[in-house]
Amino acid sequence: MNWKPIKKSSDTWNIKPNLPDYHQTYSSFSWEKIRRELDGLPDSKGLNIAHEAVDRHADGLLRDHPAIRWIGSDGTILDFTYARLKEETNRFANVLKQLGIQKGDRVFVLAGRIPELYIAALGTLKNGSVFCPLFSAFGPEPIFQRLSRGNAKLLVTTKPLYKQKVAGLMDRLPQLQNVLLADVDEDMDKTVRSLSEQMTKASKTFTIPPTDPEQMAILHFTSGTTGMPKGAVHVHNAVLTHYMTGKYVMDFHPGDVFWCTADPGWVTGTSYGIIAPLVHGVTNIIDETDFDAKRWYEILENQKVNIWYTAPTAIRRLMRMEFEPRREYDLSHLRLIHSVGEPLNPEAVVWGQKKLGLPIHDNWWQTETGGIMIANFASVDIRPGSMGFPLPGIEAAIVRRVNNDKVEVVKDPEVQGDLALRAGWPSMFREYLHDEERYRKCFVAGWYITGDLARRDADGYFWFIGRADDIIKTSGHMVGPFEVESTLMEHPAVAEAGVIGIPNPMIGELVKAFVTLKPKIEADEKLRLDIMGFARKKLGSAVAPKEIEFQDNLPKTRSGKIMRRLLKARELGLPEGDISTLETS
Ligand code: ATP
Ligand code: MG
């Protein structure tokens, strides 16, 4: 468990990072300075995400620079320059306007990663309407729930998705008057029309109306890892966080090629799969297909990707495979690799160093925070297993709730407690849709309580312990599943692990691990005992799992998070709760 730090020094940089000295930038940071690095709408008419992401570049030096490079599942490559993206998003904004979609109205997109999704997202923001992305793999009921809770006025989708999943819901969605299909040339009826026909008719010029930075911009549903997904509301001012984190974490430099593998159905795919790279004027790679190791390595090589943002679940899948990426592919353009979504086990951080030539930089945030809050930076030593330091402009702390109105900030290092953020950063969610009380309860004495538990070490690194809901209380110990899972994954036969607590009259809760094995490894009693002994030796008998069960796959959300609550419900024979985000394929 003693992972050596990964040292960073100026001779390991091939480009000077935007944040060469973390502590210096942190202490001199101001949001006003960040705001001044952005444009704002002409004539002081406010701040609009789409203007910062598209128009200001299209009207400037980057007009002919590729903004989006889209790679279709059949290998087709489409480039959208900033100028073209401006025209297309203008057209979409005009389509909305003509259909009577107004400021604040919700525009949903249910589609795979097709270019129209990105055009609709940015065009919606231009019109002052609210963009709400949905995973295309959702079934009809989760789609209905979100369209109806979100009061959808317009939906962009494709014909097959409409027919299979939406047509049967239309009677129950009276407010949904417009459906635009991205893949048909002719209207089906008065409500269900061809997007391309509307786009052709629409003008390619559009003036973004005045946009209050506090105006609602994006409605994003959480991943549903711990329960019913919540609708988090974000405003245009969030672009300050997107820009700031793009600068300091992603470390965007002019001419960079960036690839975020996340789908916009998950907040990472919107904040970093659309907004942050475009705001920085870099080239944003979008791959239409889902995980495919060979294709992914080819994309990294062929597109000369400089900065790559992916997730622990994908990294662990790559680790299980027998590729020797550095030998088989030219990854020499890669400068930084980032990961988010789940705790990143130290072994994965170091695997990156060994097999890809770069360590993996873990960062932490949530749908609610709108952007990265705690991160490992290009210039800062990595302690494998740690989430890193809070971003400049972000005050993070470990707190203890005293009562409903009071928290105590834990000053001592190495003390476990609630991870909290000082409320008020630009991309902080402004409400939970239709759930004012729940929103209010997240804030205590000026702190946003994240629902995650963590600790801070003496040097200021934050370490994730677990979600408050997942913490296991066993024989007087508080056990975070991450620690146990990380240790299990250090066993040579283990690919992935999910750890839960099972109620037990003697010890409170009993630690149980569900384990998936690496390919070609047989599950048998001897191996089970071996893993059990391995964990006991590393963790001690109080924390090590008392039970281990082999499974072919662990239940995960579509964004790749292990659904421990589902492991637990299944184990205990309890109702499964909301499983709308469960990955089924
Ligand atoms: P729900 O709130 O609906 O249960 P969710 O919390 O999984 O779903 P997201 O907002 O997508 O929805 O995920 C944020 C959560 O993911 C964080 O609160 C944290 O628990 C986990 N997470 C994200 N990044 C990291 C990370 N780097 N290390 C550990 N955990 C992480
Ligand atoms: Mg959450």
Side-chain angles (χ1 to χ4, degrees), residues 221-230 266-268 312 339-344 362-369 374 386-387 432 438 448 450-452 464-467 469-470 482 557 559 561 565 581:
F221 287 90
T222 60
S223 293
T225 314
T226 53
M228 188 72 167
K230 298 149 281 202
W266 175 34
V267 68
T268 306
S339 162
V340 71
E342 270 217 307
L344 185 66
D362 185 23
N363 58 63
W364 176 96
W365 57 292
Q366 308 178 304
T367 310
E368 290 86 341
T369 71
I374 298 179
S386 156
M387 308 187 282
Y432 274 138
R438 180 164 205 159
Y448 164 60
T450 65
D452 286 342
F464 182 81
I465 292 180
R467 293 158 181 273
D469 295 1
D470 288 339
F482 172 45
T557 65
S559 47
K561 299 156 190 277
R565 70 171 161 99
T581 60

Side-chain angles (χ1 to χ4, degrees), residues 504-524:
N504 178 293
M506 300 296 289
I507 53 172
E509 280 182 301
L510 177 149
V511 180
K512 172 159 185 177
F514 296 85
V515 162
T516 60
L517 296 174
K518 289 191 178 148
K520 297 190 208 135
I521 293 182
E522 280 296 313
D524 61 21

Side-chain angles (χ1 to χ4, degrees), residues 327-575:
R327 237 182 285 142
E328 294 168 49
Y329 299 91
D330 174 9
L331 304 178
S332 59
H333 293 90
L334 264 182
R335 197 170 78 235
L336 273 172
I337 307 175
H338 301 280
S339 162
V340 71
E342 270 217 307
L344 185 66
N345 46 309
E347 202 183 358
V349 177
V350 175
W351 174 86
Q353 175 92 321
K354 241 196 283 177
K355 300 283 177 168
L356 304 172
L358 296 167
I360 298 175
H361 293 72
D362 185 23
N363 58 63
W364 176 96
W365 57 292
Q366 308 178 304
T367 310
E368 290 86 341
T369 71
I372 300 167
M373 298 283 112
I374 298 179
N376 285 282
F377 300 90
S379 61
V380 178
D381 293 352
I382 297 178
R383 297 191 175 168
S386 156
M387 308 187 282
F389 290 148
L391 265 290
I394 302 299
E395 190 183 344
I398 306 297
V399 305
R400 234 185 264 119
R401 232 184 237 263
V402 179
N403 56 39
N404 284 344
D405 317 302
K406 204 170 160 209
V407 294
E408 204 177 80
V409 175
V410 177
K411 291 270 168 13
D412 293 336
E414 302 297 350
V415 178
Q416 175 172 321
D418 284 297
L419 175 61
L421 304 169
R422 171 77 68 192
W425 69 96
S427 64
M428 187 178 87
F429 68 134
R430 299 298 195 269
E431 60 177 287
Y432 274 138
L433 200 67
H434 311 312
D435 205 344
E436 217 184 300
E437 194 184 337
R438 180 164 205 159
Y439 184 77
R440 212 170 348 99
K441 281 193 179 146
C442 295
F443 295 88
V444 183
W447 291 95
Y448 164 60
I449 314 293
T450 65
D452 286 342
L453 301 184
R455 66 187 163 83
R456 195 172 38 83
D457 69 22
D459 300 309
Y461 285 82
F462 280 78
W463 298 78
F464 182 81
I465 292 180
R467 293 158 181 273
D469 295 1
D470 288 339
I471 293 298
I472 304 162
K473 296 165 200 84
T474 184
S475 309
H477 296 273
M478 301 279 273
V479 177
F482 172 45
E483 188 187 5
V484 182
E485 290 163 6
S486 290
T487 301
L488 290 168
M489 282 186 269
E490 286 169 29
H491 187 283
V494 175
E496 214 159 20
V499 168
I500 60 166
I502 300 173
N504 178 293
M506 300 296 289
I507 53 172
E509 280 182 301
L510 177 149
V511 180
K512 172 159 185 177
F514 296 85
V515 162
T516 60
L517 296 174
K518 289 191 178 148
K520 297 190 208 135
I521 293 182
E522 280 296 313
D524 61 21
E525 186 57 17
K526 187 162 164 278
L527 180 59
R528 208 176 60 81
L529 292 174
D530 190 65
I531 298 173
M532 204 108 101
F534 175 87
R536 207 171 298 141
K537 208 157 94 200
K538 294 215 162 198
L539 294 165
S541 57
V543 174
K546 300 262 186 305
E547 282 182 25
I548 291 183
E549 184 177 321
F550 293 120
Q551 284 204 344
D552 290 341
N553 285 302
L554 298 176
K556 291 202 182 128
T557 65
R558 294 188 190 286
S559 47
K561 299 156 190 277
I562 298 170
M563 289 171 104
R564 295 177 190 82
R565 70 171 161 99
L566 206 54
L567 285 170
K568 193 160 176 170
R570 286 175 180 172
E571 174 72 25
L572 302 177
L574 296 170

Side-chain angles (χ1 to χ4, degrees), residues 126-402:
K126 283 189 169 180
N127 192 50
S129 309
V130 178
F131 171 62
C132 318
L134 297 176
F135 273 110
S136 60
F138 278 151
E141 198 50 35
I143 292 171
F144 170 75
Q145 285 297 331
R146 288 162 178 80
L147 291 175
S148 104
R149 274 162 63 198
N151 198 23
K153 286 278 167 60
L154 184 140
L155 171 69
V156 175
T157 186
T158 61
K159 190 171 176 187
L161 287 171
Y162 177 74
K163 289 204 143 171
Q164 286 162 25
K165 305 185 180 189
V166 185
L169 307 172
M170 291 301 281
D171 289 349
R172 293 155 72 201
L173 294 166
Q175 81 289 358
L176 181 57
Q177 291 297 330
N178 292 286
V179 177
L180 298 176
L181 303 182
D183 55 347
V184 300
D185 295 325
E186 278 172 25
D187 295 353
M188 276 169 60
D189 55 42
K190 275 209 324 271
T191 311
V192 186
R193 298 193 234 191
S194 153
L195 173 62
S196 59
E197 199 184 281
Q198 297 286 325
M199 290 283 277
T200 317
K201 282 194 309 207
S203 160
K204 61 182 187 190
T205 58
F206 182 86
T207 306
I208 298 179
T211 310
D212 185 326
E214 282 302 307
Q215 195 175 307
M216 185 167 167
I218 299 171
L219 168 64
H220 234 299
F221 287 90
T222 60
S223 293
T225 314
T226 53
M228 188 72 167
K230 298 149 281 202
V233 169
H234 291 285
V235 299
H236 280 271
N237 209 34
V239 73
L240 267 63
T241 310
H242 300 140
Y243 173 78
M244 183 274 287
T245 52
K247 179 173 177 173
Y248 293 135
V249 183
M250 295 299 144
D251 195 41
F252 290 133
H253 281 70
D256 273 342
V257 176
F258 171 66
W259 180 26
C260 167
T261 60
D263 188 278
W266 175 34
V267 68
T268 306
T270 306
S271 292
Y272 298 93
I274 310 180
I275 302 169
L278 297 181
V279 172
H280 278 268
V282 302
T283 299
N284 189 30
I285 301 284
I286 292 159
D287 180 26
E288 191 184 13
T289 59
D290 290 330
F291 180 89
D292 173 343
K294 184 163 174 290
R295 183 180 164 103
W296 277 27
Y297 287 130
E298 283 167 4
I299 290 176
L300 292 172
E301 173 178 284
N302 296 338
Q303 299 307 327
K304 302 184 168 50
V305 173
N306 304 112
I307 303 158
W308 189 35
Y309 197 14
T310 188
T313 174
I315 294 163
R316 289 197 288 263
R317 282 173 85 171
L318 292 175
M319 286 170 73
R320 258 181 266 175
M321 297 179 169
E322 281 163 1
F323 286 92
E324 283 298 333
R326 263 175 110 181
R327 237 182 285 142
E328 294 168 49
Y329 299 91
D330 174 9
L331 304 178
S332 59
H333 293 90
L334 264 182
R335 197 170 78 235
L336 273 172
I337 307 175
H338 301 280
S339 162
V340 71
E342 270 217 307
L344 185 66
N345 46 309
E347 202 183 358
V349 177
V350 175
W351 174 86
Q353 175 92 321
K354 241 196 283 177
K355 300 283 177 168
L356 304 172
L358 296 167
I360 298 175
H361 293 72
D362 185 23
N363 58 63
W364 176 96
W365 57 292
Q366 308 178 304
T367 310
E368 290 86 341
T369 71
I372 300 167
M373 298 283 112
I374 298 179
N376 285 282
F377 300 90
S379 61
V380 178
D381 293 352
I382 297 178
R383 297 191 175 168
S386 156
M387 308 187 282
F389 290 148
L391 265 290
I394 302 299
E395 190 183 344
I398 306 297
V399 305
R400 234 185 264 119
R401 232 184 237 263
V402 179

